[in-house]
């Protein structure tokens, strides 16, 4: 039931977003931080019908039910706290019916928050190269600020050259593969459309076809951790080369050794791009005094691993220790292919966990 708006003996002041309806005489309704209080009236005993018979708060316009919440009397002041927070832009009407007196009504417009600045961007997508193998295993999407979780698959598309979308190219798992800081998302291509001999590959076909061009498109309306959209749409164009089923190898000939007495970078070269994230923690360096500390950088479209020591090199024999879990773009590990055709004879079994590459500093 709507309550008529009545004004007492004196004038009133109506303000927005937390302002109040002030009466010179009698009760008035204040709102502060979404909490409603009746001032200028001393609450007595609890009415038989409850405090809601005296004070009701409505959100929206028209004939709407009152908000749910809790009532209390604090220092003699009748107080109402809504169960749910009031949303920006909401129209709120509060009505107080004092016993034996005219009703008092106050109207509030909850101020809309200023739009959040769109500052977060896709910082990089790895692999960096614009030629990917037809059996590409994964992508890494790096953002400039933390992102929100749970909505990734609505915003990532793989487009053909004609602009049409590839249907379900990625493994859309509910538990998205974010790093601890929500800055990096790992996107896996559906393995069923990569590995030979599986039904999904035969039925749906490969996600990537050799010789064709594609675009990875990331929409701007993806929300970051603050709830703001991205600053820009992101697009990565690439071409698809042949499938890669050759395990990567590391050898002494791939090492560019530094000179003693300085802190120039040690460089380990790879004949093809490697997995960017794994390059960060799959390789270590030991020297005459044991394990070395330093900074790692990845360059040249992930074909170079560069190690800069914290202390100057000294002459002697060193070793680069590479974990065999290091992968190339197709998921082939050091010494072991990702995709093994069951009809091919397996002639090599890799059991060692690391590969050592010696080099000399002179």
């Amino acid at each position: 039931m709507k309550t008529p708006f009545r004004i007492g003996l004196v004038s009133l002041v109506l303000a927005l977003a937390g302002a109040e309806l002030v009466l010179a005489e009698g009760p008035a309704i204040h709102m502060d931080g979404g909490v409603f209080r009746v001032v200028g009236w001393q609450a007595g005993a609890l009415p038989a019908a409850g405090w809601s018979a005296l004070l009701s708060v409505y959100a929206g316009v028209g004939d709407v039910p009152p908000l749910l919440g809790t009532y209390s009397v604090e220092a003699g002041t009748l107080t109402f706290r809504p169960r749910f927070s009031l949303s920006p832009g909401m129209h709120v009407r509060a009505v107080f019916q004092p016993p034996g007196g005219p009703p008092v009504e106050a109207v509030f417009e909850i101020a809309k928050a200023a739009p959040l600045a769109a500052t977060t961007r896709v910082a990089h997508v790895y692999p960096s190269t614009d030629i990917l193998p037809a059996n590409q295993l994964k992508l890494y999407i790096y953002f400039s600020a933390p992102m929100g979780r749970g909505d990734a698959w609505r915003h990532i598309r793989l487009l053909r050259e004609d602009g049409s979308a590839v249907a379900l190219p990625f493994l859309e798992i509910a538990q998205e593969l974010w790093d601890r800081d929500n800055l990096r998302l790992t996107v896996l291509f559906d393995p069923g459309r990569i590995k030979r001999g599986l039904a999904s590959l035969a039925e749906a076909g490969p996600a990537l076809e050799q010789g064709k061009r594609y675009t990875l498109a990331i929409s701007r309306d993806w929300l970051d951790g603050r709830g703001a959209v991205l600053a820009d749409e992101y697009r990565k164009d690439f071409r698809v080369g042949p499938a890669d089923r050759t395990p990567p190898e590391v050898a002494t000939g791939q090492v560019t050794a530094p000179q003693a007495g300085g802190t120039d970078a040690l460089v380990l070269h790879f004949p093809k791009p490697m997995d960017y994230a794994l390059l960060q923690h799959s390789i270590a360096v030991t020297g005459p005094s044991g394990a070395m500390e330093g900074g790692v950088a990845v360059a040249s479209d992930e074909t170079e691993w560069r190690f800069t020591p914290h202390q100057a090199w000294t002459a002697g024999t060193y070793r680069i220790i590479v974990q065999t879990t290091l992968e190339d773009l197709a998921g082939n590990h050091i010494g072991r292919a990702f995709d093994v055709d069951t009809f091919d004879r397996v002639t090599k079994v890799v059991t060692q966990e690391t590969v050592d590459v010696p080099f000399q500093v002179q």
Side-chain angles (χ1 to χ4, degrees), residues 49-333:
W51 293 119
S52 60
L54 302 185
L55 176 63
S56 297
V57 178
Y58 305 85
V61 295
D63 192 8
V64 295
L67 295 177
L68 299 176
T70 58
Y71 291 86
S72 61
V73 176
E74 302 172 3
T77 299
L78 178 58
T79 302
F80 174 73
R81 289 179 170 82
R83 178 179 298 180
F84 304 105
S85 299
L86 302 177
S87 301
M90 182 178 288
H91 175 88
V92 180
R93 182 170 59 93
V95 179
F96 174 60
Q97 177 62 67
V104 176
E105 182 171 333
V107 176
F108 307 92
E109 304 289 341
I110 309 302
K112 292 184 178 180
L116 294 172
T119 57
T120 302
R121 290 178 166 81
V122 176
H124 202 92
V125 170
Y126 294 96
S128 301
T129 178
D130 59 2
I131 302 176
L132 303 183
N135 57 343
Q136 175 73 34
L137 180 61
K138 71 184 79 164
L139 303 170
Y140 296 112
I141 305 176
Y142 282 79
F143 296 88
S144 62
M147 293 291 293
R149 295 192 179 206
D151 198 32
W153 306 118
R154 291 200 311 112
H155 304 289
I156 306 173
R157 294 187 301 158
L158 183 65
L159 306 178
R160 299 183 182 89
E161 195 168 6
D162 63 2
S164 62
V166 179
L168 298 175
F170 307 118
L171 188 62
E172 297 187 5
I173 56 178
Q175 187 65 35
E176 298 168 353
L177 302 177
W178 291 95
D179 68 349
R180 181 180 301 176
D181 299 320
N182 286 359
L183 293 172
R184 183 192 73 202
L185 176 67
T186 301
V187 177
L188 300 174
F189 282 89
D190 185 351
R193 300 174 69 174
I194 297 175
K195 300 193 76 169
R196 296 170 292 179
L198 298 184
S200 53
L201 177 60
E203 294 172 1
L208 301 175
E209 297 184 58
Q210 180 179 343
K212 295 187 177 181
R213 303 193 69 87
Y214 295 84
T215 298
L216 176 72
I218 299 175
S219 66
R220 183 172 182 255
D221 58 353
W222 194 349
L223 300 183
D224 65 14
R226 303 170 301 137
V229 298
L230 297 180
D232 304 291
E233 181 188 38
Y234 181 89
R235 299 173 74 90
K236 175 181 173 65
D237 300 322
F238 61 92
R239 179 169 58 85
V240 178
D244 181 5
R245 296 185 173 89
T246 302
E249 304 288 347
V250 290
T252 303
Q254 297 171 271
V255 177
T256 298
Q259 296 292 314
T263 57
D264 290 342
L266 162 71
V267 183
L268 176 60
H269 305 266
F270 293 94
K272 57 182 176 179
M274 302 296 287
D275 184 290
Y276 176 80
L278 292 177
L279 283 171
Q280 309 296 319
H281 56 78
S282 297
I283 306 175
V285 180
T286 62
S289 300
M292 298 190 64
E293 295 184 354
V296 170
V298 177
S300 301
D301 288 344
E302 295 83 73
T303 62
E304 287 185 3
W305 179 85
R306 306 175 69 89
F307 175 81
T308 302
H310 291 165
Q311 297 182 345
W313 299 98
T314 59
T317 300
Y318 292 77
R319 291 184 179 276
I320 302 174
I321 303 174
V322 182
Q323 297 180 26
T324 56
T325 53
L326 180 61
E327 300 175 359
D328 62 19
L329 302 188
N332 303 306
H333 291 200

